[in-house]
Amino acid sequence: SSFTLAVLADSGWYEIDWKYAQQASYGRQRGCEWTDSPCIVNGEPLDDTAFCSDSVKYSCSSSYVGKFYCGLSMWNTELPSAMQYFGDPILGGDNVYPDFCPLFEEYSNGDCRLYGEHNIGTSDENTGDLGGLITGASKCALIEGETNGVGAGCFPTHCLKNAQGEYVGTRLTIYRNYLHTVFDVMTCWAYESGQAKRFPYGYNANKNFGFNTIYCPEFTDICYDENPWICNGHGTIHNGTCVCSPGYFGRDCTIEANKANRELYSDADSVSRYVDTVCNGGEWNYDVYSDANVGILKVQIIGVSDADYVEAYMMEALKNWIAVLTDISQCDVELNAFVYHRNSSEISTDLYYYSSLKTWSDVSDSEAQWTFDSLFPASARLTVIEEKPSTGWHVDNFNRASTICIGWPILVIGFVVIQFA
């Protein structure tokens, strides 16, 4: 953390490369009260992302890297009076070093990031049954239902950026149903932190889970560059580039730094399980004109000033726009002939997207406008011409009408050219 590096710097014995500084998640943005007050006051935790007061079965803590439980224990003698947080003097945390404060502790098989032959046993065997996937990018999310109460799953989670390069939300990738052949991506905007949403996973009827609610993660606990886990669970971001934690390397911190991998890969390589599983290995391999699930939109954005224009951010925001609207991954979007006309402050491009469920025809004009406004400057105006519709079909889709448009009404737009004011 930055505290550790500061101690080393103050010793006078070390020169510090501060790009490796990470923010400690415990107590982040909690103020002096976090260190000056007891961890439990009147039975309530000072910080409910770190401390707990109930023997809960599942939590995600503030790191979101895995599934956690509340570390409460009954000791065989009374705890020191200053460390008695509950009515029972022998009840407290199971660790003496944090002053018997009950902490959320990770299950030994609950890490959402680990997979592969060297990590057998680290993930819950029910991860797939709950629509989840273990990858470096995966984070814990709480789910709930009448059958089993509160539970937790592991879902690939990415931070959503707008056209200024600012974080504005998170996106959770979830298997569409128990056949595990295709994914949908759920969007949680920053203002939806902690809010409940419909859990869009189709269970096997033989599995008695019944979770129908999923909770959005706390946005500010995940989407900040100094987050030690933002780069596939093993690194921070510095000047737009991943800086890997000890033990990992690669352009996105996905490669374990052992001797065999060092001989096989370079720092420019990646072995992302998310990319391999969800994004077809990172290759856009759809035939644009013959694949019925590929839709083509001709997009024009006017009112984009030089001051607002950073090409990488604009392109990412435009991909995010259609990805959010159709519940697909950004990797299922491609931009062709992207041009910024500086003299007229205008962007034009052909936007290709692949969707096997929700399509542009299922998007209401108000939804399209609101999402665009959430990602682009207030001065920007959008015009869309649908050149080729996507059929939104997959052999393993169950009931299309009941699954599309999470949180939005369905409105089929009855014309091709749409101009947003």
Side-chain angles (χ1 to χ4, degrees):
S1 73
S2 56
F3 292 107
T4 305
L5 295 181
V7 171
L8 295 175
D10 289 346
S11 73
W13 297 338
Y14 300 92
E15 292 185 0
I16 305 301
D17 186 344
W18 289 101
K19 75 179 182 181
Y20 290 96
Q22 300 177 346
Q23 286 190 12
S25 61
Y26 284 117
R28 180 176 178 268
Q29 297 183 340
R30 295 285 177 171
C32 294
E33 183 185 20
W34 201 88
T35 57
D36 296 342
S37 301
C39 57
I40 305 291
V41 179
N42 296 325
E44 296 296 325
L46 178 69
D47 175 1
D48 59 9
T49 66
F51 309 117
C52 53
S53 58
D54 296 314
S55 187
V56 296
K57 189 173 182 180
Y58 287 110
S59 176
C60 293
S61 191
S62 60
S63 69
Y64 287 91
V65 298
K67 305 173 187 178
F68 289 72
Y69 65 94
C70 185
L72 273 173
S73 287
M74 300 292 289
W75 292 79
N76 57 13
T77 186
E78 290 190 7
L79 305 181
S81 59
M83 302 174 191
Q84 294 178 11
Y85 308 111
F86 305 101
D88 192 332
I90 65 172
L91 177 64
D94 61 7
N95 191 332
V96 62
Y97 295 107
D99 296 339
F100 295 100
C101 286
L103 301 172
F104 282 120
E105 301 173 16
E106 187 178 317
Y107 283 97
S108 60
N109 68 341
D111 198 313
C112 289
R113 302 167 295 174
L114 304 179
Y115 59 91
E117 62 182 64
H118 300 298
N119 291 307
I120 290 175
T122 56
S123 67
D124 189 331
E125 64 181 6
N126 291 330
T127 295
D129 288 335
L130 297 175
L133 180 70
I134 303 297
T135 73
S138 295
K139 300 285 189 291
C140 172
L142 293 179
I143 52 181
E144 189 173 11
E146 293 182 1
T147 303
N148 292 306
V150 176
C154 294
F155 307 96
T157 302
H158 295 86
C159 294
L160 177 68
K161 286 186 175 182
N162 64 14
Q164 284 77 45
E166 301 164 332
Y167 294 119
V168 292
T170 54
R171 306 198 73 217
L172 284 66
T173 301
I174 304 169
Y175 273 113
R176 183 169 298 163
N177 54 52
Y178 70 90
L179 297 174
H180 294 167
T181 54
V182 65
F183 295 90
D184 295 310
V185 186
M186 185 186 83
T187 301
C188 290
W189 296 95
Y191 71 87
E192 294 179 308
S193 288
Q195 290 188 18
K197 288 198 166 189
R198 185 179 68 81
F199 188 38
Y201 177 67
Y203 290 100
N204 186 331
N206 296 323
K207 301 285 186 178
N208 188 30
F209 290 116
F211 296 107
N212 54 19
T213 299
I214 185 168
Y215 289 90
C216 293
E218 289 295 331
F219 169 74
T220 55
D221 285 342
I222 292 181
C223 296
Y224 60 100
D225 285 353
E226 298 82 8
N227 182 347
W229 304 284
I230 197 169
C231 283
N232 283 285
H234 299 290
T236 59
I237 295 176
H238 182 74
N239 291 333
T241 302
C242 284
V243 178
C244 301
S245 302
Y248 288 84
F249 72 105
R251 67 175 184 269
D252 52 5
C253 305
T254 53
I255 308 174
E256 192 173 353
N258 55 42
K259 184 176 183 295
N261 284 341
R262 280 292 184 188
E263 293 175 352
L264 189 61
Y265 301 107
S266 73
D267 287 335
D269 291 327
S270 168
V271 292
S272 169
R273 191 184 187 213
Y274 174 82
V275 172
D276 289 343
T277 307
V278 180
C279 297
N280 300 311
E283 298 293 330
W284 173 274
N285 55 6
Y286 307 112
D287 190 302
V288 173
Y289 292 100
S290 66
D291 195 317
N293 279 339
V294 174
I296 303 176
L297 305 178
K298 299 187 78 68
V299 176
Q300 180 187 46
I301 304 174
I302 62 173
V304 180
S305 66
D306 276 352
D308 289 328
Y309 184 77
V310 176
E311 183 165 282
Y313 293 155
M314 283 287 174
M315 294 180 74
E316 182 176 6
L318 192 50
K319 288 183 176 182
N320 286 334
W321 172 72
I322 192 64
V324 169
L325 289 173
T326 55
D327 300 330
I328 61 176
S329 171
Q330 189 198 84
C331 61
D332 284 325
V333 183
E334 186 83 355
L335 301 180
N336 184 52
F338 183 95
V339 179
Y340 176 51
H341 307 275
R342 183 165 275 102
N343 290 338
S344 57
S345 300
E346 174 187 322
I347 292 171
S348 62
T349 187
D350 292 338
L351 186 155
Y352 307 151
Y353 74 97
Y354 179 93
S355 179
S356 59
L357 188 62
K358 187 180 178 185
T359 72
W360 175 250
S361 296
D362 300 311
V363 177
S364 70
D365 52 356
S366 60
E367 180 185 2
Q369 179 68 67
W370 187 93
T371 304
F372 181 82
D373 291 344
S374 299
L375 293 171
F376 287 87
S379 60
R381 297 291 182 268
L382 173 70
T383 301
V384 179
I385 301 175
E386 185 176 38
E387 183 175 288
K388 174 178 176 285
S390 166
T391 59
W393 180 88
H394 195 279
V395 66
D396 291 332
N397 286 350
F398 291 164
N399 184 348
R400 186 174 190 272
S402 66
T403 54
I404 62 174
C405 283
I406 300 171
W408 287 90
I410 298 174
L411 175 62
V412 178
I413 300 171
F415 46 94
V416 178
V417 181
I418 302 174
Q419 185 168 2
F420 298 101

